[in-house]
Amino acid sequence: MARKEVIEMLKIGEILRDRYTIEKKLGRSDYSQIYRAYDNIKSRPVAVKIATPKLDPRRMKIEQMVLTLLRGKNHFVTLISMGQIHDVPYLVMDLVGRNLADIRGQYPSKQFQPITAYRISVQVISALRDMHTAGFLHRNIKPSNICIGRGAQKRVIYLLDHGMARMFTEMDGRIRKPRDHAGFRGTLRYVSLTVHSRAERTPRDDLIAWFYSMIELINGKLPWSNLIAAKDIEEAKRNETFENLCKDQPNISLEFAKYILSLDTTVIPNYQELIAIFKIAKLKDDLPFEWEMHKSNKTKKVIRESANVIDKKVTMGQITKVRKPRKRAKSERKCFLNLIN
């Protein structure tokens, strides 16, 4: 079978808007391409995300709006500029580091230490807290959409790729009425059974997608990792219990699973209690991640000592009612609601 020809949306050396010099292609999908560029005015590297002709341009608009709303939040990149070239939209953003899938892929075992996955979880949950509080579901949580930072921010975890986001609240902050049939959004390996069933999503579904991601990071794979057909993946998920997925892992994994399974479509979690489940490990945020360790025996010792406490029992927090997102102008919220579902 002949390989599909890849259309390069930008050329190396091309200067975008007389400011950003395209230096290197970092990644691509059928719907977008990511480039490293150099900001000739600010004298710093940036990332340029440009749509391909296959992408519904409204998706890029949604990503722009999400990043604008969450500007200044710790786990979201700063949107620097936006525009259109070659009849497709593009975004210029802060440049971050590698994604978790690529980092894990460099390990012979394809596995992270549980303590590493739990440290990452604290930051991912913090990011989801901010996004859900703003009234948005991400709808495509997976390791390749989660990156580490660079330089002074190298231990900050960033949540990327918000083109599939959807508002789940009305203009007054109430949860939107569930649709009878919700289209599939996300990645088959990580979506919840709710998504397989084409039922309406809630914040719980983002958390379940992260749970599957976390289990994969620790175990190296999921029971359905080698399956391709949607019906086979769905069946495998239905036949697998969360308890079994957490087998041979510290108790923290199962407590996280119990918490998110206890949620329903009318509530969101108490994020501080969720974070507290992982904080039992008591590992300082400023310590190197395991991919930074190299031959640091001191860091390895700290991780071993922390591993001794992560089997402690933790108490599942009380479920809280949905908190209203921060108020924003009616015209702004109406604009979001009119975007693609």
Side-chain angles (χ1 to χ4, degrees):
M1 181 182 295
R3 296 180 62 182
K4 292 191 298 184
E5 182 180 356
V6 177
I7 300 175
E8 302 295 343
M9 302 305 299
L10 295 171
K11 296 179 180 179
I12 306 303
E14 181 176 351
I15 300 178
L16 191 63
R17 291 186 64 177
D18 297 322
R19 176 172 177 175
Y20 306 105
T21 302
I22 305 302
E23 294 183 332
K24 180 182 179 181
K25 188 175 181 179
L26 299 177
R28 68 176 179 85
S29 69
D30 287 341
Y31 303 102
S32 65
Q33 295 175 3
I34 309 292
Y35 294 84
R36 176 190 172 109
Y38 189 77
D39 184 340
N40 294 296
I41 294 179
K42 297 288 187 177
S43 300
R44 61 171 180 169
V46 295
V48 176
K49 180 176 184 178
I50 185 168
T52 68
K54 288 186 177 182
L55 182 70
D56 185 329
R58 289 176 293 180
R59 290 290 168 201
M60 195 72 88
K61 184 68 173 177
I62 290 172
E63 182 153 21
Q64 171 196 331
M65 290 180 170
V66 169
L67 291 177
T68 299
L69 268 179
L70 295 171
R71 186 179 184 87
K73 297 295 184 180
N74 286 341
H75 305 290
F76 298 87
V77 297
T78 299
L79 178 63
I80 300 169
S81 180
M82 66 209 76
Q84 186 163 314
I85 188 172
H86 309 318
D87 297 322
V88 293
Y90 69 85
L91 303 175
V92 181
M93 303 169 283
D94 283 342
L95 181 68
V96 293
R98 295 176 295 167
N99 68 61
L100 298 182
D102 286 346
I103 296 173
R104 183 179 71 88
Q106 294 180 349
Y107 285 42
S109 66
K110 311 297 183 187
Q111 295 172 280
F112 286 163
Q113 293 288 334
I115 195 66
T116 299
Y118 297 157
R119 285 183 65 191
I120 295 168
S121 293
V122 169
Q123 297 197 49
V124 171
I125 292 169
S126 296
L128 289 175
R129 173 199 62 206
D130 292 339
M131 194 164 187
H132 294 164
T133 300
F136 280 93
L137 302 176
H138 186 278
R139 302 202 297 177
N140 198 21
I141 298 294
K142 58 181 178 179
S144 60
N145 281 342
I146 299 168
C147 290
I148 60 174
R150 300 171 65 251
Q153 307 301 316
K154 64 183 178 182
R155 290 173 197 140
V156 176
I157 299 297
Y158 290 90
L159 182 56
L160 304 181
D161 200 357
H162 307 289
M164 289 190 186
R166 180 179 189 267
M167 286 197 70
F168 70 99
T169 59
E170 297 286 359
M171 293 174 63
D172 60 3
R174 291 179 296 109
I175 290 181
R176 297 172 71 176
K177 182 180 178 181
R179 295 167 291 178
D180 294 332
H181 179 87
F184 184 92
R185 297 288 185 274
T187 302
L188 280 169
R189 183 182 297 183
Y190 307 103
V191 297
S192 67
L193 287 171
T194 297
V195 181
H196 281 285
S197 301
R198 305 300 194 272
E200 190 62 272
R201 292 193 190 202
T202 68
R204 184 181 79 159
D205 298 293
D206 277 347
L207 287 166
I208 289 176
W210 172 245
F211 170 77
Y212 286 146
S213 299
M214 183 188 77
I215 295 299
E216 183 183 54
L217 293 177
I218 297 172
N219 288 349
K221 63 179 181 179
L222 290 163
W224 48 86
S225 290
N226 295 327
L227 301 179
I228 298 175
K231 63 178 182 179
D232 294 337
I233 294 173
E234 179 180 3
E235 183 179 1
K237 289 177 183 176
R238 292 191 184 280
N239 292 333
E240 191 68 75
T241 65
F242 275 31
E243 288 81 0
N244 195 49
L245 287 173
C246 298
K247 185 175 62 176
D248 301 325
Q249 290 192 17
N251 184 61
I252 289 175
S253 296
L254 184 56
E255 289 301 323
F256 178 46
K258 288 178 179 178
Y259 191 102
I260 57 180
L261 284 176
S262 71
L263 300 173
D264 60 34
T265 58
T266 62
V267 298
I268 59 174
N270 181 320
Y271 293 99
Q272 287 307 114
E273 290 181 352
L274 260 177
I275 289 172
I277 292 174
F278 295 101
K279 284 285 191 177
I280 192 69
K282 299 184 183 300
L283 192 60
K284 294 182 179 180
D285 294 336
D286 59 349
L287 284 174
F289 278 112
E290 62 178 271
W291 51 81
E292 300 176 59
M293 286 179 7
H294 302 297
K295 297 180 180 179
S296 173
N297 292 325
K298 181 179 179 181
T299 304
K300 291 178 182 178
K301 180 181 178 182
V302 172
I303 288 181
R304 285 197 302 270
E305 290 174 350
S306 298
N308 292 331
V309 302
I310 60 179
D311 276 323
K312 290 183 179 180
K313 294 288 183 181
V314 290
T315 303
M316 195 167 68
Q318 297 293 321
I319 305 302
T320 60
K321 293 183 179 180
V322 175
R323 300 188 185 95
K324 292 184 178 181
R326 69 172 180 82
K327 292 183 179 180
R328 54 173 84 93
K330 285 188 176 181
S331 59
E332 183 183 3
R333 292 183 62 83
K334 186 175 181 180
C335 179
F336 292 145
L337 289 168
N338 287 336
L339 287 170
I340 190 169
N341 287 330

